[in-house]
Amino acid sequence: MRRAVLLLPLLILHGCSCQQHPPASDPSAPPESTVADAAPASGDDTALTPAPSTPAPASLSAVATDALDEPMVVHRYVTAVAQGDLATADALWTGGSPGGRPDDAALRALPDFRGLRIKTGAPIARDTAQPSRLREVPVQIRVSTDTGTLRFEGWYRLQPRVDGSGWEIHGASIQPVMN
């Protein structure tokens, strides 16, 4: 009994562990604010205005929304090369021509395409502009000809057309791959 009398004051001062405490708040959660917290400290009676909303996201593309996406431009180009339609293929390049010796000259020089398989990767931004104005499309190409099957790997770089109507090929690096 004497021990209970000695412990009772300690329990009162320290508090009983069976008391219910409010749940601990998540430290990563933003603190709750009240009108009193948001009131101006200077005593100004002006009405509180809500925080400005976040700005609308920038356009996701530097070209018209109905234009072919970058991988589809690459597919159209390689298909035109395979069909021997170099006029259509060249029109997909900046300035309407790949220049003197294009970096995919080995692909363009192949005769008698019998089969074609094109696998493109997701476009990679190669600049810091928002939205990106220089994109690189990784590509793997398998071509069947009369003499056998050849594989190519590399990338095509695209940029928006001057009028923004779509993407055009700006450069390429396509190399044959040995099996």
Side-chain angles (χ1 to χ4, degrees):
M1 176 80 164
R2 190 163 168 90
R3 283 188 211 169
V5 172
L6 290 175
L7 292 176
L8 189 57
L10 290 175
L11 286 174
I12 294 172
L13 289 175
H14 180 44
C16 178
S17 63
C18 61
Q19 290 179 343
Q20 292 185 353
H21 298 285
S25 63
D26 180 7
S28 64
E32 293 181 8
S33 63
T34 62
V35 176
D37 293 335
S42 66
D44 187 2
D45 291 334
T46 60
L48 298 175
T49 58
S53 62
T54 57
S59 173
L60 298 176
S61 180
V63 300
T65 56
D66 61 343
L68 292 176
D69 65 2
E70 303 91 317
M72 287 305 299
V73 172
V74 171
H75 276 262
R76 182 171 279 179
Y77 169 73
V78 175
T79 301
V81 168
Q83 293 171 346
D85 187 359
L86 294 182
T88 299
D90 289 351
L92 294 169
W93 280 82
T94 302
S97 170
R101 179 154 169 81
D103 290 334
D104 64 347
L107 179 67
R108 291 173 63 99
L110 287 176
D112 304 322
F113 281 73
R114 299 188 83 195
L116 175 66
R117 183 174 179 193
I118 307 164
K119 182 179 178 185
T120 55
I124 303 165
R126 289 297 181 200
D127 62 356
T128 57
Q130 292 297 325
S132 172
R133 299 190 58 77
L134 184 61
R135 307 270 179 92
E136 186 175 285
V137 178
V139 66
Q140 297 175 344
I141 303 167
R142 190 176 77 197
V143 177
S144 298
T145 66
D146 290 336
T147 59
T149 301
L150 302 167
R151 292 183 338 140
F152 296 86
E153 287 186 4
W155 48 260
Y156 285 93
R157 285 206 178 134
L158 293 93
Q159 66 185 16
R161 293 190 177 278
V162 173
D163 62 2
S165 63
W167 294 98
E168 60 188 5
I169 300 171
H170 173 66
S173 177
I174 304 297
Q175 305 301 321
V177 176
M178 299 298 184
N179 291 337

